[in-house]
Amino acid sequence: MGATHPLALAPVTSPPSTVDGFVKEFLQNLNFERGVTLTSSSPNDRYMALAHTVRDYLQARWLEDQRRQREMQAKGVCYLSAEYLLGRQLDNNLLATRLTDIATEAMAACGIDIDDLRQQEVEPGLGNGGLGRLAACFIDSLATMSVPSIGYGIRYEYGIFRQTFVDGQQVEQPDAWLALGSPWEFPHPEAAQEISFGGHTEKYDDDGVERSRWVPGWNVQAVPYNYMVPGYHNGRVNTLRLWRAVATSAFDLRIFNSGDYEEAVRAQTFAENISKVLYPEDSTPQGKELRLQQQYFFVAASIADFLQHQLAEDYDYEKLPDRVIFQLNDTHPVIAVPEFMRVLVDERGLEWDTAWAITQKCFAYTCHTLLPEALEVWSVDLLGRLLPRHLEIIYRINDDFLEEVRERFGDDEMRIRDMSIISEHPDRSVRMAYLATVAGAKVNGVAELHSQLLRDKVLHDFDEFYPGKFTNVTNGVTPRRFVRLANPRLADLITDALGAGWTVDLERLRGLEAFAEDPEFRARFAEVKAANKRTLSEVLLSRDGFTVSDGHMLDVMVKRLHEYKRQMLKLLHIVTTYESIVSGKVAAADVVPRTFIFGAKAAPGYVMAKRIIHLINAVGSVVNSDPRVEGRLQVLFPPNYNVTLAERVIPAADLSEQISLAGKEASGTGNMKFALNGALTIGTDDGANVEIRELVGDDDFFLFGMSEPEVEALWAQGYKPADFYQKDPQLRAAIDLIASGAFSGGDRSVFEPIVSNLLYDDRFMVLADYASYIAAQARVDAAYADQDAWTRSAILNVARTGFFSSDRSIRDYIDRIWHTPPVL
Ligand code: 26Q
């Protein structure tokens, strides 16, 4: 650099640390960014100007941290995830920067209620559910703990669909989250990467060594959009870099110049389709070409970005394992493995074995499922067409791997077939989980039980082959968003009791155990819960026109709609209670009043899930309007459950429904959020429920249902759901009521497929666990009758679940997998 102006060395902005300063910047942003005055501004203008004001404040620290991370050359994490379910940004960024009070006062000084501006923000829903939300919690913890890291993903133009109900049935609307602009993103077209696809490979002679090169058929540009990820009260700002697909100008120009305007526009559309929309399936992936394009697009861009911008020109690649770990969030980014090999071998000229040794130290893989149908495979046909060189590399990896397997286990053909990365049935395809397992330095599950089942079942041969490779990191959730922001009343109560440090040291919640014995504290805790219910009630009234009944237990089941999660079991409990009232077996007055809240999106092509949504709505409309119920049961199903709604529902809940069939839910993270907000759990011995129960204790957790080994045993002996129906009059009455058409205006055909499915093809053993579930719900009713004892239990749930902070998860990743100490 030549003569340096003194300002070039100084922080870029002086932050507005006073209300006046904030007002001034806000008004300037209104004028110069939005081109309006305060009086002529729309709510969106004001939201945008406010967001810009907060953003500017973070900017200086951000630039500083980017420089530090480059210069320090400390080992860092590249988190590769196809999804980030971020939720709203404004409040989180205000909290992280301690600007909440100043901003609130500044807005008030301008005659604006900051709450009205909060409502303006459309949340970036760039994820389906648990996996995407986990990624969002992790980048929050990484920033808060000062771990050098960057999150890489896709900037979908349309996130998870907006769910509406028409006659009780799900109808999907596009999620145009960018329609009014996004103040939190910084596009960097100058830093675009060119990403290639298709074509063929050629062999060539490189000084007597035969090498392969890829001659691609077409390419697109990946343009990075940076998002700030502020740490909580530590002045750090990390980066989330999401890629957008844009047509390459060369490609464009060629066609334009040839005079084929329409073709050029088509090419543009084709390229931009890659980052157009998030696939709304959260299991049973279909082998769609566009999906593979998305996956390769973002990991190829991310690897190129990392190698170019984080490493010196003459970097010695053999030192890479001391510099970076690429964490694969499920199999979606696993094509990064052959891409990394291609870059090292084809582009940088490393020997295969050297490159492979580096690769095996630079990647680690997190598995998030146990369902066989959720394990991703790509047909060799498709892969070979889209990424021919990568397919070659995968074959070579597999050949070398199977060679090693033979050396160890002999020519055991069955085992070779079982362990091969290439499966031959039904069609030849690549098993991405196997590729990830072979390539990864470590493979982890997301809860103790899940990790154990991975080792014992799904990846058993690999565990035997690679001793020490498998480990567990139990999931966690960020206490900033899910306690501090979502539940400010509880946060204040905790801070009153324990002081302020708990937000970054959640195990301190243990200190609340003593307060559980203090009647005055219990009364305050109960008042927090009651106030949160009133707030939720207001939200649901203005959002959906629902009126939540006073004095009801709030019984909540919010999560994606999937048969294994068993929303049907919850529904059978509701129908059973309803049936017992209308048949006169129980007086309405003797029923503990409950409001059931559901929130759930179904994958658009998942027919059974959509039927179940329809049935929930149908039961709701009958139950809610039947005078015989005397208002003691209420079923509410607000559409479009998302992070924003979760932040309202969870703090208000009394009872958390975590009722998946044992051995099916990898972890769950909603379960943790509820416990931390003082809901009691009714749950199976599944996923992280197991650990929640261990920590909370049997007295304050409603366990029911078969254990995983019991599930296995019942399957093995031949499960006949109809037998359970025959033997249990209560169950029979509930199912008969559904079958009778009572919830479909007398039309028996509407829900017949659900009934048949339960009776003859109950894959997730709803009927087998029904009796146990109903019994557990009776224990819930009994416990709820003693409100003070319930509150005590709720406090103990909060006190004992500090373990589930995502800060602890990140610490475990650092200790067991990454070995990337915080850089303070
Ligand atoms: C794959 C290919 C094609 C289309 C879609 C997909 C796809 C997308 C998302 C497959 C799976 C997902 C998401 C899975 C998921 O959210 N799993 C959940 O992860 C949580 C975080 O670890 C766990 O708590 C949950 O138990 C697990 O279900």
Side-chain angles (χ1 to χ4, degrees):
M1 225 189 288
T4 307
H5 191 282
L7 277 180
L9 302 170
V12 182
T13 56
S14 39
S17 47
T18 64
V19 172
D20 282 352
F22 199 99
V23 169
K24 187 163 153 253
E25 277 208 35
F26 170 72
L27 292 175
Q28 271 180 358
N29 279 327
L30 261 186
N31 294 161
F32 300 125
E33 291 283 335
R34 306 299 302 171
V36 294
T37 64
L38 184 56
T39 40
S40 71
S41 62
S42 68
N44 183 58
D45 287 327
R46 296 168 178 194
Y47 160 68
M48 286 290 194
L50 172 58
H52 271 97
T53 309
V54 178
R55 190 185 102 157
D56 293 346
Y57 179 79
L58 285 163
Q59 187 72 44
R61 289 307 310 234
W62 193 24
L63 293 171
E64 171 68 9
D65 281 352
Q66 285 172 56
R67 188 187 59 74
R68 274 163 57 112
Q69 291 205 5
R70 255 195 314 274
E71 283 176 7
M72 299 266 310
Q73 298 284 307
K75 184 171 179 184
V77 184
C78 288
Y79 198 79
L80 298 180
S81 178
E83 305 191 2
Y84 291 89
L85 191 46
L86 297 171
R88 285 181 177 164
Q89 298 296 292
L90 173 61
D91 237 10
N92 189 248
N93 293 349
L94 285 170
L95 175 70
T97 51
R98 301 181 155 99
L99 280 174
T100 311
D101 291 344
I102 287 177
T104 307
E105 286 176 43
M107 291 306 100
C110 298
I112 297 168
D113 182 349
I114 195 171
D115 264 336
D116 293 341
L117 302 194
R118 285 191 174 100
Q119 307 309 318
Q120 290 298 309
E121 182 172 359
V122 184
E123 71 168 73
L126 310 185
N128 272 288
L131 168 147
R133 184 52 237 176
L134 186 76
C137 285
F138 280 2
I139 58 175
D140 177 83
S141 286
L142 285 164
T144 297
M145 295 166 72
S146 304
V147 181
S149 55
I150 176 164
Y152 284 114
I154 301 172
R155 179 185 175 275
Y156 301 105
E157 194 175 328
Y158 295 91
I160 186 69
F161 64 84
R162 202 159 52 79
Q163 179 191 53
T164 60
F165 295 140
V166 175
D167 299 329
Q169 293 183 266
Q170 172 175 298
V171 174
E172 302 89 21
Q173 307 284 342
D175 163 51
W177 72 287
L178 291 166
L180 296 178
S182 164
W184 304 109
E185 62 180 20
F186 294 79
H188 283 281
E190 80 292 349
Q193 300 286 346
E194 201 171 276
I195 308 301
S196 300
F197 294 92
H200 61 276
T201 64
E202 312 177 325
K203 299 266 179 278
Y204 70 101
D205 181 284
D206 178 24
D207 262 344
V209 189
E210 189 188 69
R211 287 183 178 272
S212 189
R213 80 158 69 92
W214 180 19
V215 185
W218 53 281
N219 57 33
V220 301
Q221 277 195 76
V223 176
Y225 281 63
N226 291 340
Y227 292 75
M228 299 183 283
V229 185
Y232 174 79
H233 292 190
N234 69 347
R236 290 300 169 86
V237 185
N238 275 359
T239 302
L240 172 64
R241 185 161 297 152
L242 304 181
W243 299 96
R244 174 186 181 193
V246 177
T248 49
S249 46
F251 194 60
D252 258 14
L253 265 180
R254 192 157 38 90
I255 307 172
F256 269 111
N257 290 341
S258 75
D260 194 343
Y261 180 75
E262 271 180 68
E263 179 54 28
V265 174
R266 240 196 315 280
Q268 191 123 9
T269 309
F270 182 79
E272 303 199 341
N273 257 340
I274 293 180
S275 58
K276 187 67 72 181
V277 57
L278 168 78
Y279 274 91
E281 276 87 50
D282 74 334
S283 50
T284 52
Q286 327 249 293
K288 296 271 178 58
E289 177 161 0
L290 181 60
R291 170 87 183 170
L292 182 57
Q293 288 175 12
Q294 291 185 334
Q295 296 183 350
Y296 178 66
F297 165 78
F298 100 87
V299 298
S302 305
I303 287 172
D305 180 78
F306 176 80
L307 295 179
Q308 268 170 37
H309 295 122
Q310 299 298 320
L311 300 183
E313 195 90 3
D314 57 347
Y315 192 81
D316 172 4
Y317 286 101
E318 297 197 38
K319 293 199 293 212
L320 261 181
D322 300 324
R323 188 72 173 80
V324 66
I325 180 92
F326 291 98
Q327 186 66 38
L328 303 168
N329 197 23
D330 214 282
T331 52
H332 318 150
V334 168
I335 197 71
V337 168
E339 169 65 5
F340 195 66
M341 284 297 288
R342 186 191 67 81
V343 171
L344 294 188
V345 174
D346 295 3
E347 291 187 356
R348 316 278 155 126
L350 270 68
E351 292 301 323
W352 177 275
D353 291 341
T354 312
W356 182 238
I358 296 169
T359 300
Q360 278 191 305
K361 293 191 192 111
C362 283
F363 284 88
Y365 161 52
T366 306
C367 176
H368 295 264
T369 191
L370 283 161
L371 302 183
E373 67 265 33
L375 291 174
E376 216 174 6
V377 295
W378 288 109
S379 87
V380 159
D381 194 54
L382 169 57
L383 233 160
R385 240 185 312 117
L386 197 67
L387 299 166
R389 178 61 183 137
H390 298 77
L391 181 59
E392 276 180 13
I393 292 172
I394 293 169
Y395 272 126
R396 168 87 190 265
I397 292 171
N398 194 41
D399 288 347
D400 292 357
F401 168 64
L402 293 181
E403 195 52 44
E404 285 179 55
V405 175
R406 282 205 171 81
E407 276 167 30
R408 270 276 292 288
F409 296 121
D411 286 329
D412 177 347
E413 266 322 298
M414 265 318 262
R415 191 191 278 263
I416 301 286
R417 275 157 207 268
D418 286 350
M419 294 182 78
S420 176
I421 294 168
I422 309 291
S423 112
E424 300 292 341
H425 294 286
D427 300 299
R428 183 177 284 205
S429 52
V430 180
R431 296 160 158 160
M432 301 308 271
Y434 290 11
L435 177 56
T437 302
V438 171
K442 294 279 176 179
V443 176
N444 76 286
V446 289
E448 291 287 353
L449 174 67
H450 175 235
S451 297
Q452 198 57 49
L453 291 170
L454 278 184
R455 297 179 59 174
D456 294 349
K457 307 211 155 127
V458 187
L459 299 170
H460 177 258
D461 290 338
F462 293 89
D463 184 38
E464 224 174 78
F465 187 73
Y466 293 119
K469 186 177 276 212
F470 286 76
T471 186
N472 171 251
V473 178
T474 298
N475 284 167
V477 302
T478 172
R480 271 73 67 184
R481 179 175 293 267
F482 289 105
V483 183
R484 270 298 290 261
L485 287 176
N487 200 342
R489 296 183 182 97
L490 178 61
D492 287 346
L493 183 60
I494 297 171
T495 302
D496 270 2
L498 305 177
W502 60 273
T503 325
V504 289
D505 182 9
L506 208 61
E507 290 283 4
R508 288 199 201 177
L509 293 180
R510 276 281 168 191
L512 293 177
E513 280 191 342
F515 287 89
E517 310 309 325
D518 171 358
E520 197 194 305
F521 187 85
R522 287 202 297 273
R524 291 176 67 195
F525 189 97
E527 178 43 38
V528 165
K529 198 48 102 179
N532 291 343
K533 287 189 194 180
R534 289 193 292 273
T535 303
L536 174 64
S537 187
E538 287 162 20
V539 168
L540 292 183
L541 181 61
S542 77
R543 188 184 187 273
D544 307 302
F546 297 157
T547 310
V548 182
S549 305
D550 270 351
H552 279 208
M553 179 201 309
L554 226 56
D555 178 341
V556 183
M557 183 161 189
V558 286
K559 52 187 78 247
R560 284 296 287 251
L561 200 310
H562 201 292
E563 288 165 279
Y564 84 78
K565 293 177 188 283
R566 301 198 296 190
Q567 278 90 356
M568 263 318 293
L569 184 56
K570 173 76 273 179
L571 209 40
L572 283 177
H573 168 239
I574 296 170
V575 172
T576 295
T577 313
Y578 172 69
E579 194 280 335
S580 70
I581 296 171
V582 297
S583 68
K585 291 195 268 285
V586 175
D590 292 336
V591 170
V592 176
R594 291 201 201 201
T595 291
F596 303 95
I597 296 185
F598 286 92
K601 288 179 183 177
Y606 188 171
V607 175
M608 186 56 75
K610 287 183 142 179
R611 278 197 195 106
I612 294 170
I613 285 179
H614 188 192
L615 180 57
I616 297 170
N617 280 320
V619 168
S621 79
V622 169
V623 168
N624 296 347
S625 62
D626 190 330
R628 294 171 294 180
V629 172
E630 295 173 19
R632 299 183 77 86
L633 300 178
Q634 186 182 33
V635 181
L636 301 179
F637 192 169
N640 201 41
Y641 177 65
N642 58 9
V643 177
T644 305
L645 185 59
E647 289 167 8
R648 299 305 199 154
V649 169
I650 294 170
D654 294 307
L655 187 65
S656 158
E657 300 273 353
Q658 308 300 336
I659 60 179
S660 52
L661 177 63
K664 300 297 175 194
E665 188 69 271
S667 163
T669 45
N671 47 2
M672 302 166 185
K673 294 165 197 164
F674 280 102
L676 279 167
N677 280 280
L680 277 59
T681 304
I682 182 165
T684 48
D685 232 329
D686 199 17
N689 297 352
V690 177
E691 290 155 79
I692 293 176
R693 186 172 65 90
E694 275 166 10
L695 283 161
V696 167
D698 282 323
D699 292 349
D700 302 293
F701 185 108
F702 301 96
L703 175 69
F704 77 96
M706 295 176 286
S707 65
E708 195 278 333
E710 287 168 343
V711 168
E712 286 292 308
L714 182 53
W715 265 124
Q717 107 192 22
Y719 171 51
K720 291 204 197 60
D723 291 354
F724 288 86
Y725 168 87
Q726 294 297 353
K727 277 188 240 143
D728 184 339
Q730 226 183 357
L731 173 58
R732 211 161 59 219
I735 290 184
D736 287 352
L737 193 61
I738 297 171
S740 75
F743 304 110
S744 39
D747 183 346
R748 294 163 172 270
S749 70
V750 179
F751 299 120
E752 197 282 329
I754 293 183
V755 171
S756 287
N757 188 265
L758 284 177
L759 291 177
Y760 305 111
D761 186 23
D762 181 17
R763 279 186 63 210
F764 299 104
M765 301 175 126
V766 171
L767 301 201
D769 272 345
Y770 168 86
S772 169
Y773 183 55
I774 297 296
Q777 288 290 6
R779 286 186 270 130
V780 170
D781 280 340
Y784 198 73
D786 185 344
Q787 280 289 299
D788 198 40
W790 182 279
T791 298
R792 180 177 168 279
S793 275
I795 297 168
L796 290 177
N797 267 268
V798 180
R800 293 169 177 172
T801 47
F803 175 76
F804 298 105
S805 168
S806 46
D807 300 345
R808 188 271 316 147
S809 303
I810 292 301
R811 234 174 352 260
D812 288 348
Y813 274 99
I814 292 172
D815 294 345
R816 298 171 194 173
I817 300 175
W818 297 338
H819 313 296
T820 52
V823 172
L824 298 167

